[in-house]
Amino acid sequence: MPKHDTPLLDELESGPWPSFVTDIKRQAESKPECWDILGQLELSFKDRITHWKHGGIVGVFGYGGGIVGRYSDVPKEFPGVAHFHTVRLNQPSSKFYSSEKLRDICNLWEKYGSGMTNMHGSTGDLVLLGTTTDNLEPLFYDLTHDLKQDLGGSGSNLRTPACCLGKARCEWSCYDTQAACHHLTMHYQDEIHRPAFPYKFKFKFSGCPNDCVASAARSDFSVIGNWKGDIRVDAEAVKGYVNGDFTANGGAHGADVKLDVQADVCDLCPTHCMKLSGDKLFIDNSNCNHCMHCINMMPRALRPGAEQGATISVGAKAPILDGAQIATMVWPFVNVTPDNDFEDLIDKIENIWDWWMEVGKNRERVGETIMRVGLPTFLKVMEVEPIPQHVKEPRSNPYVFWQSEEVEGGFERDVKEFRKRHAQ
Amino acid sequence: MPKHDTPLLDELESGPWPSFVTDIKRQAESKPECWDILGQLELSFKDRITHWKHGGIVGVFGYGGGIVGRYSDVPKEFPGVAHFHTVRLNQPSSKFYSSEKLRDICNLWEKYGSGMTNMHGSTGDLVLLGTTTDNLEPLFYDLTHDLKQDLGGSGSNLRTPACCLGKARCEWSCYDTQAACHHLTMHYQDEIHRPAFPYKFKFKFSGCPNDCVASAARSDFSVIGNWKGDIRVDAEAVKGYVNGDFTANGGAHGADVKLDVQADVCDLCPTHCMKLSGDKLFIDNSNCNHCMHCINMMPRALRPGAEQGATISVGAKAPILDGAQIATMVWPFVNVTPDNDFEDLIDKIENIWDWWMEVGKNRERVGETIMRVGLPTFLKVMEVEPIPQHVKEPRSNPYVFWQSEEVEGGFERDVKEFRKRHAQ
Amino acid sequence: MGYDPENPMADRITDIGPPHFEQFFPEVVKKNYGKWLYHEITQPGVMMHKSETGDECWTVRVGAARLISIDLIREMCDIADAHCDGKLRFTTRNNVEFMVDDEAKVKPLMDDLAGRGNKFPIGGTGASASNCVHTQGWVHCHTPATDASGVVKAVMDELFEYFTSMKLPAKVKLALACCLNMCGAVHCSDIAILGVHRKPPMIDHDAISGLCELPLAIASCPLGAVKPAKATNSEGEEVKSVAVKHERCMFCGNCYTMCPAMPLADPDGDGIAILVGGKVSNARSNPTFSKMVIPFLPNTPPRWPETVDAVKNILETYAANANRYERIGEWAERIGWEKFFELTGIPFTMKCVDDYRLAYDTWRTTVSFKFTSHIK
Amino acid sequence: MGYDPENPMADRITDIGPPHFEQFFPEVVKKNYGKWLYHEITQPGVMMHKSETGDECWTVRVGAARLISIDLIREMCDIADAHCDGKLRFTTRNNVEFMVDDEAKVKPLMDDLAGRGNKFPIGGTGASASNCVHTQGWVHCHTPATDASGVVKAVMDELFEYFTSMKLPAKVKLALACCLNMCGAVHCSDIAILGVHRKPPMIDHDAISGLCELPLAIASCPLGAVKPAKATNSEGEEVKSVAVKHERCMFCGNCYTMCPAMPLADPDGDGIAILVGGKVSNARSNPTFSKMVIPFLPNTPPRWPETVDAVKNILETYAANANRYERIGEWAERIGWEKFFELTGIPFTMKCVDDYRLAYDTWRTTVSFKFTSHIK
Ligand code: SRM
Ligand code: SRM
Ligand code: SRM
Ligand code: SRM
Ligand code: SF4
Ligand code: SF4
Ligand code: SF4
Ligand code: SF4
Ligand code: SF4
Ligand code: SF4
Ligand code: SF4
Ligand code: SF4
């Protein structure tokens, strides 16, 4: 394939941020179809519009997901991208790799694809960008046989789960995010590969309320580490912060920014449940709402409490169609552990699926189904006792749906009896 | 009419709060129909249900409001209340009376009614409770000829306007609430007496953001006094508060509760725009949002700024049907003065009415109409420039309705042209 | 002469409006109109307003039942004549205010009021429990789910000491409405007592065709629970009528408002819901709606003990726990509603979880919450 | 042997899932898994995590374009082999992290990275502008209203100094999505760049019957703007098709997702909206949505100067005015959105006023506001 003139794209080769244009050009030396990627993109820059056709259904035998079909709408000019399908490889939990593994993937993609990737896709997959329909089966064969790994999800199925790096390199993780993510990914291979849902469904796992995988914004089933009981305090380290021995916020503002414990920690605590007297810090833990702020500010002095688990929220999604949702808190404190194969998670997931697959409309995310039937109905179906923690505030409208059996005498009444006592 | 046994009601004669039962019994000595009020009420206490029929349409010739028809559903037992219509007298602004005026009203009601009243109705009327259809015209005649006053509103019309006592006995009123209330009441006599609206419409006037007539909760057109520029500060009095010479909050917590200016005023200022240094108070007025808290706390030291006017909000209502609404701020700062016969209010009111009478559905409050068409549409019709003050926050959903003329090239496009550049 | 039934339109007068307010002002008010400088509540129920002219207006506020007789009004007039040059006023909360222009005149006035038994309780100022604004109830309305005057009497008897003192953290505004129409600011009150129906309307097939326009009745239902239907009346004739989908009904009563042949009221179905935490003023925090914390309490005349206890419990838990200057809703927001339920001991039920139009905005979309006794 | 087209199902392997994560851990991570005590960001892009065992994990974070070639990945592998025992990771924001177990190994690693031109910028930690997560844009998707990689490159070039330093009041999380589907956490980002369509779909009457199930296309519109209609194709034959009520369309693109014969994209119609103030973490304040402050900016490849300026202006106004530890949304909430618009100089337009499903909850229902320049 020939090189195209790309005057517009060339403008993106300057500047301090890494240039994908320069990168693609380099790759094009060994993978000439990359010239056509640049060519078509240049045309899009010129026309200010995409030149990809509406995705076609392609895939590997027996799977309903993992591949996103894509065809050029100007294939003659750019035959190298006439077919340009995406392959979603299910990433390892929290995206640690060995150079060996990555090289195998690069070689595989050199052989069967364009040589371009996304590290990573928004959901979490390792995304291989651009191959032909013919290459899909051979690629899948090598992937499963030689690389011993598998595709991720797409379509109306369970999407590739993702997690924060948790215990691997973070001091705050309240459960094993990687283990949970990996276990459920393996446990639900069928749901990931074979669409059986009304619409997509996503899991995301964060180890603490900082939510570093943005699960509350992006997952139908959001598992966020949390703790019960008292924040663990290292009184000596508190002194250190008071005396200015340590940087503020774990150095997040530079080495010379120290902490004013009163102003930066106590006064910014949303529940005002902290008191500093001298160099002693007192926390009224019964009023702490586990926001993480103080711990974030003084990582050497404070840690989440020792009794740890996770809070499960449901229904996050992007705006299409009824508007975006941040996940709604449903289970306040759940035990999340490999010791019982994460059965506390699995029970809840399958309750949701059973119900959603029954009542969910086509292309209705579980959050939208809950909006449609109401949170009370959802809690009932989940057999969850309603608690004030489920709401920001109680209802302000008086429109309560009572059931006949809840009301003395029930709903059936005899109007004639009524009329005897009340003349018309 | 005979006395009835009222064992249940008699229970309400004890206790420190004034007893309406004792009061009615006393009145019954001279107005025996009051025995039937007690008798039927006793029956309701026994049956735990009302014994009034669904209101019938009654009134005086030429008026469509001011009377609420009411009939007993047990007239044989209680003939004295077989007819029990309500007469709504339009109260004088902020409900000051002379004993002479009240005595005239009492005499009128002794002659034509049950002798029982509500001082006052929730909207603000002086409510005369219980008369017969035959008495309505004679009562109205005497009312207009001898007492020289008039009925208030009911039905789908302008309801009796009401106001706080404002400048009459309050230091904070930013405009003349009584004058505004009285002027508009007189100006709109026709709208009050002859229903011409899709549903009821209410004005309420409060002199400052404390909103002592709850206009923000209860009026379709809420006028609340407000100021621009700097809060007026009496530095000497500030010293007094700092030194504990004065009570906190104008004595609202008793004579011995003094003010901690830092804790009770500055720290509770929602915008944190106040600073106390020593006994000097500094207010960053550009960040003040006029909540009144500091002024409420130190009435001797602080007063609303000198440049005064009112903020107008629209659409408050009770829950029926789409849920309650607190009024939405529409005009941030309006000049409200008798000097121009309150024309700034009248213009806005009539703009709203013209539009609402055209697009409002039957029994749709203006707030519900605005909810249905959207605030942007309403602002456009009112020719109000949108400002950030109209919202708590900008929209979070991306669903903007663009108009064809706003978009280069407009909405009409030729798909064939498109296909030439984009193969199907 | 006077009204002549033969000739009703003779010299008819209309549209003259209310009397002008100014004529009813006490001298000190007229003289200092717009000149007030500051005020001081010198004791519960007594306020002094100071004018730039140096004048003082002393006000004594008295609680009233709102449902009052002309004889009682005449008695108020006697008091006004004796002490206030014949002037008095009513507040936006149905209290009566007697004003004098000299501190010396306050005590005689108060003694006079006190001398008249329990008719004229002095209070309702500052950090007190306000008079409870209310509506008609069984005394006059056709749609109530509870009584008004009776419930309010029972509640105010119990809260009396809070009306006559100023020992609460802040103002507590009480309100009662006897049905969902909420004739008052119940939807924005610190503590609101709300009459609620819980049974769907009955349909009087004998009366409906005569009394109602069926299309209006059908259109009246916000949830489309009212459907056209054929029915047989007591004569056994088939008539055009309506049917109500019970499972869709939320008992708002709008159908009954539009159609008298669809009564909802029921001795066991009806009762009281308690809402708290609303406010109207802009002080510190924005105006907010009251929130439903108790979905139902039974109608138990003559003294509604369950309702009285519920209100008192909320008031006193607030008094014991809130910061000064903090309204009930501000307190609940600060500590979190889970703490509100824990401290008051009010059981949290599914009924408190919103499932109406804007429900989503009330759901908890954060993992920040407090571990109260609710979490097992 | 390998894949055999003749017999595709031969010794097929499926559902084996991803490789287990543990095998990819650096030694220091494996050894100290779950034992970390605290961390310290020692300079922009460099973190030290301390374990209770006393071990230290030193991480160097490097920004990446996300759209990267296998050659670049191989280069990363070379670096990992040279310094990190062949291990590396990618963050949830598409950055690359190289980890070493000894402070002494940090400088050589950083020098190596720095020696490779602008490929591996070090930063993105702490109070920095994050890498801008993004989506496909014109590089791969069929529904974009703007490009992704190009816009992000232009923006990150301009914000570079904020990525490589930590001088902002707090973290600023940037995100771009190229259409309303919002493939990312754009709806909860500090600064979000969103591709928006502004023209209703065209209807390809030639293709529609072949490509789409009309009922699905009609059902796809949340506002019922798509209606069944007869039309004539270019052969002049009458065909079953659909029509779009333009005045009802809000350009969400869902119809196109369901029906390829209804393209929306347009060079002039499409462009970019800017949303700000969202967050996901629970720190201090609850997770919240981003709010639309600029409804439209044109698509101006290759460097989208209007968008770049808008983002920089917001970022720098925030940097100059916010308190430390305060996210953009927390700052805007504290000062009030009227102040946000005044300080940034962004014109407030009707487009920013919500008129969708939960709109009422965003209207200002208080008279508390600040007198900014907006009030004439
Ligand atoms: C590849 C990816 C963007 C990227 O560049 O990273 C992507 C690409 C597409 N998304 Fe997405 N989504 C991707 C992550 C997301 C996310 C983020 C996440 O998963 O954390 C979201 C928001 C969270 C959510 O699920 O709500 C997301 C919300 C959507 C939506 C809106 C769904 C909704 O309920 O609002 C659609 C529309 C649809 O499903 O028809 C959509 C549809 C699409 C389609 C399939 C286009 C379409 O209309 O059919 C895109 C294919 C583009 C292409 O040609 O490759 N994509 N999509 C992401 C998947 C890569 C991966 O597997 O790692
Ligand atoms: C008398 C009064 C209650 C009282 O005891 O004080 C009252 C009594 C009635 N109101 Fe009201 N409303 C009264 C003030 C209010 C208020 C308060 C206010 O005006 O400040 C409200 C709430 C504010 C508002 O307007 O939203 C109010 C909201 C309603 C509603 C619900 C309207 C809505 O849009 O939500 C209805 C239902 C209706 O209109 O059909 C209603 C309907 C009624 C009816 C006419 C019953 C009916 O369904 O037709 C009641 C007649 C009772 C009777 O037999 O006397 N009443 N009504 C108040 C008028 C007295 C006066 O003129 O001073
Ligand atoms: C007399 C009356 C106006 C009238 O025209 O009748 C009135 C009079 C005063 N109000 Fe009021 N308010 C009156 C009803 C209201 C209402 C409406 C209501 O009660 O339905 C409100 C809004 C209620 C709400 O927010 O839910 C109201 C919210 C206030 C506030 C704000 C309190 C707060 O912190 O939220 C103040 C300021 C204060 O007291 O610190 C205030 C302050 C005052 C002052 C101190 C104004 C002044 O300088 O004279 C007056 C005496 C206060 C007192 O009673 O302690 N007034 N005040 C009303 C007496 C009602 C009663 O008899 O109890
Ligand atoms: C590496 C990564 C997790 C991963 O599995 O990849 C990560 C790692 C850390 N995060 Fe995070 N966060 C990571 C994405 C996130 C996200 C998600 C996102 O960016 O989309 C969030 C939520 C974003 C939001 O709130 O909108 C996130 C919100 C936080 C917060 C809360 C900050 C706040 O005040 O709101 C902290 C606490 C802090 O930094 O004070 C935190 C703190 C941390 C700490 C200090 C945790 C620790 O003790 O090691 C880590 C280094 C912070 C740093 O970069 O300065 N991390 N962090 C992610 C790096 C992304 C990147 O390359 O830039
Ligand atoms: S979410 Fe919590 S546990 Fe996970 S990486 Fe972020 S801070 Fe660490
Ligand atoms: S975690 Fe948050 S709420 Fe709890 S003490 Fe720390 S700052 Fe306060
Ligand atoms: S609303 Fe303001 S002006 Fe009117 S009485 Fe209340 S405090 Fe005074
Ligand atoms: S009025 Fe309110 S916002 Fe303004 S300074 Fe006083 S307390 Fe602060
Ligand atoms: S609240 Fe309901 S029952 Fe009570 S007066 Fe108003 S309409 Fe009648
Ligand atoms: S009470 Fe309300 S919800 Fe029930 S049927 Fe009547 S109108 Fe419909
Ligand atoms: S945001 Fe829209 S255009 Fe961009 S990748 Fe996702 S679906 Fe495609
Ligand atoms: S773009 Fe959205 S709103 Fe417009 S027609 Fe298509 S589906 Fe309907």
Side-chain angles (χ1 to χ4, degrees), chain B residues 87-153:
Chain B
V87 178
R88 296 180 177 177
L89 300 194
N90 194 324
Q91 82 289 358
S93 287
S94 73
K95 311 192 188 80
F96 283 85
Y97 292 97
S98 65
S99 52
E100 187 192 352
K101 167 59 74 176
L102 284 178
R103 286 201 165 88
D104 292 344
I105 293 169
C106 292
N107 297 339
L108 179 84
W109 195 232
E110 176 140 34
K111 184 167 171 203
Y112 293 113
S114 71
M116 292 309 299
T117 76
N118 289 139
M119 300 292 282
H120 289 70
S122 295
T123 305
D125 290 289
L126 191 165
V127 171
L128 303 173
L129 216 55
T131 188
T132 63
T133 309
D134 295 344
N135 279 345
L136 293 173
E137 285 299 337
L139 178 149
F140 183 69
Y141 186 97
D142 295 3
L143 180 72
T144 49
H145 287 73
D146 307 342
L147 278 71
K148 310 233 171 322
Q149 64 189 91
D150 207 336
L151 298 180

Side-chain angles (χ1 to χ4, degrees), chain B residues 54-215:
Chain B
H54 196 287
I57 309 296
V58 293
V60 299
F61 294 122
Y63 277 19
I67 313 290
V68 177
R70 191 61 69 216
Y71 302 90
S72 171
D73 73 11
V74 283
K76 287 167 210 54
E77 297 88 321
F78 309 107
V81 296
H83 287 208
F84 202 63
H85 311 323
T86 286
V87 178
R88 296 180 177 177
L89 300 194
N90 194 324
Q91 82 289 358
S93 287
S94 73
K95 311 192 188 80
F96 283 85
Y97 292 97
S98 65
S99 52
E100 187 192 352
K101 167 59 74 176
L102 284 178
R103 286 201 165 88
D104 292 344
I105 293 169
C106 292
N107 297 339
L108 179 84
W109 195 232
E110 176 140 34
K111 184 167 171 203
Y112 293 113
S114 71
M116 292 309 299
T117 76
N118 289 139
M119 300 292 282
H120 289 70
S122 295
T123 305
D125 290 289
L126 191 165
V127 171
L128 303 173
L129 216 55
T131 188
T132 63
T133 309
D134 295 344
N135 279 345
L136 293 173
E137 285 299 337
L139 178 149
F140 183 69
Y141 186 97
D142 295 3
L143 180 72
T144 49
H145 287 73
D146 307 342
L147 278 71
K148 310 233 171 322
Q149 64 189 91
D150 207 336
L151 298 180
S154 67
S156 289
N157 54 11
L158 175 61
R159 295 306 182 87
T160 307
C163 61
C164 79
L165 90 177
K167 291 179 182 294
R169 203 200 58 205
C170 180
E171 64 267 35
W172 296 327
S173 198
C174 295
Y175 71 96
D176 191 332
T177 55
Q178 280 111 331
C181 185
H182 186 76
H183 184 88
L184 291 180
T185 303
M186 299 308 284
H187 189 76
Y188 291 122
Q189 283 294 298
D190 186 39
E191 286 75 7
I192 290 174
H193 294 133
R194 297 170 196 85
F197 296 143
Y199 203 2
K200 62 188 72 169
F201 195 95
K202 298 177 179 179
F203 301 156
K204 284 182 168 62
F205 303 87
S206 282
C208 83
N210 283 331
D211 196 5
C212 293
V213 73
S215 71

Side-chain angles (χ1 to χ4, degrees), chain A residues 245-260:
Chain A
D245 305 343
F246 309 131
T247 59
N249 197 189
H253 305 265
D256 32 273
V257 177
K258 301 295 194 255
L259 205 60
D260 174 337

Side-chain angles (χ1 to χ4, degrees), chain B residues 227 231 264-266 268-274 282-285 287-297 302, chain C residues 282-284, chain D residues 368 370:
Chain B
W227 71 91
I231 290 173
D264 302 339
V265 182
C266 301
L268 296 181
C269 164
T271 64
H272 298 290
C273 66
M274 312 181 89
F282 299 93
I283 304 178
D284 168 8
N285 283 278
N287 277 307
C288 164
N289 70 14
H290 313 84
C291 83
M292 288 295 293
H293 174 71
C294 58
I295 297 170
N296 294 341
M297 287 298 119
L302 305 179
Chain C
N282 293 275
R284 298 169 307 281
Chain D
S368 290
K370 298 178 180 181

Side-chain angles (χ1 to χ4, degrees), chain D residues 55 182 271 287 303 336 340:
Chain D
D55 290 354
M182 291 198 193
R303 282 196 164 273
F340 171 90

Side-chain angles (χ1 to χ4, degrees), chain B residues 321 363, chain C residues 201 214-227 243-245 248-256 258 262 356-357:
Chain B
L321 292 165
R363 279 175 61 79
Chain C
L214 297 187
L216 285 185
I218 291 157
S220 72
C221 181
L223 300 185
V226 181
K227 299 259 170 251
V244 172
K245 280 206 167 54
R248 280 226 202 142
C249 178
M250 60 183 191
F251 321 104
C252 71
N254 199 48
C255 50
Y256 179 61
M258 298 305 286
M262 299 179 70
Y356 199 51
R357 304 267 154 99

Side-chain angles (χ1 to χ4, degrees), chain B residues 17 23 63 70 84 86 97 99 103 110 118 141 145 168-169 171 176 193-194 247 250 252 322 363, chain C residues 1 11 15 33 36 39-41 69 74 78 81 86 88 97 127 136 138 140 153 157 187 254 256 357:
Chain B
W17 190 251
D23 187 20
Y63 277 19
R70 191 61 69 216
F84 202 63
T86 286
Y97 292 97
S99 52
R103 286 201 165 88
E110 176 140 34
N118 289 139
Y141 186 97
H145 287 73
R169 203 200 58 205
E171 64 267 35
D176 191 332
H193 294 133
R194 297 170 196 85
T247 59
D322 271 338
R363 279 175 61 79
Chain C
M1 41 144 299
D11 59 36
D15 302 301
Y33 194 80
W36 301 107
H39 74 279
E40 182 76 30
I41 302 171
S69 70
R74 287 168 173 147
D78 298 338
D81 291 341
L88 72 165
E97 291 184 333
Q136 294 296 331
W138 295 333
H140 198 275
K153 162 70 173 159
D157 276 342
H187 56 296
N254 199 48
Y256 179 61
R357 304 267 154 99

